[in-house]
Amino acid sequence: QLETEINEYESKTQKIESDKIEDIQKGITDLIKSSESETLEFKSTLKWDIRENRSNPSLVLECVKTIAGFLNNRGGILIVGYDDDNNIIYGLEKDYPHTSKKQNYDGWQQYFINQINDKLGKTINHYFTIDPISYNGKTLAKINVKISPSPVFTKQDNNEGNFYVRIHGQTENLNPQETQKWISDHFSN
């Protein structure tokens, strides 16, 4: 009797897990079919430069700017590991040797979080989540970003003052006057 109940439970659990995986696969497929927008962005990799076939630390800043842009506007989703221009799934695996000694997803994620902490500050960590998505034999990162209740500035090249927003499918660096108006319009109580 108990063994039968255990087997039924395990069977149901496997079915639920299988359904969850199918839902995630469908969700990522739907996202990949979508165009970039104010709330959706794709990056081929975090650090590996596909065109130059080498590690390129400046690419990390592109992901950081996107996160800041989402935080300062309506939130959004960043998918890392997919090249939407050429419809190629690169996955995170190209980044692994350049982001961590571990050379796996955990190492990649820790590197990513450290970059966010360094360039945007640790206080924004609870405004985004990172999920690994297995897709066509590769690992993608789906980063869900919420709206920040206060302005988020990006530190780069020892300069703390760049203000990015996501507008019409692009991440824009606003000048001081635009930044002041944006903050007044979007963050004032």
Side-chain angles (χ1 to χ4, degrees):
Q1 170 76 17
L2 180 60
E3 187 174 332
T4 303
E5 288 179 21
I6 290 172
N7 287 338
E8 286 176 7
Y9 174 79
E10 287 177 348
S11 177
K12 286 179 185 176
T13 302
Q14 287 174 346
K15 171 84 171 100
I16 290 169
E17 286 299 313
S18 177
D19 289 348
K20 281 184 185 176
I21 290 170
E22 284 180 27
D23 287 347
I24 290 169
Q25 295 282 332
K26 184 181 181 311
I28 202 75
T29 299
D30 290 345
L31 284 173
I32 285 173
K33 288 180 182 175
S34 302
S35 298
E36 289 185 337
S37 67
E38 215 168 84
T39 57
L40 179 63
E41 172 73 9
F42 301 104
K43 296 293 184 192
S44 302
T45 62
L46 177 63
K47 194 172 180 183
W48 182 254
D49 193 320
I50 299 298
R51 290 170 188 81
E52 296 182 17
N53 205 30
R54 67 174 181 84
S55 178
N56 183 349
S58 68
L59 291 180
V60 175
L61 188 57
E62 296 305 311
C63 288
V64 171
K65 290 176 187 178
T66 299
I67 301 286
F70 287 149
L71 288 162
N72 287 324
N73 197 359
R74 296 178 20 205
I77 298 171
L78 171 61
I79 303 291
V80 181
Y82 174 66
D83 177 353
D84 63 315
D85 292 332
N86 299 303
N87 196 28
I88 298 172
I89 305 285
Y90 287 107
L92 306 177
E93 289 77 5
K94 293 241 181 224
D95 278 329
Y96 289 167
H98 310 284
T99 55
S100 167
K101 291 179 183 174
K102 292 181 183 179
Q103 296 192 27
N104 61 17
Y105 176 78
D106 288 338
W108 182 93
Q109 182 180 23
Q110 191 58 52
Y111 177 84
F112 179 81
I113 291 169
N114 287 339
Q115 294 300 306
I116 295 295
N117 289 345
D118 182 54
K119 293 172 177 55
L120 298 179
K122 294 176 183 170
T123 59
I124 64 103
N125 276 305
H126 55 283
Y127 295 111
F128 71 92
T129 59
I130 309 170
D131 297 307
I133 308 289
S134 181
Y135 189 79
N136 290 357
K138 307 261 173 107
T139 304
L140 302 175
K142 180 181 178 193
I143 302 156
N144 293 293
V145 183
K146 297 178 186 176
I147 302 167
S148 173
S150 58
V152 176
F153 290 84
T154 305
K155 179 173 40 169
Q156 65 190 70
D157 303 326
N158 297 321
N159 178 5
E160 296 188 41
N162 293 299
F163 186 79
Y164 293 94
V165 293
R166 189 82 182 153
I167 304 172
H168 303 298
Q170 295 185 7
T171 303
E172 301 286 344
N173 186 7
L174 301 186
N175 69 37
Q177 293 79 19
E178 293 167 331
T179 298
Q180 185 177 21
K181 176 144 179 45
W182 187 273
I183 291 171
S184 173
D185 291 349
H186 292 84
F187 293 102
S188 295
N189 293 332

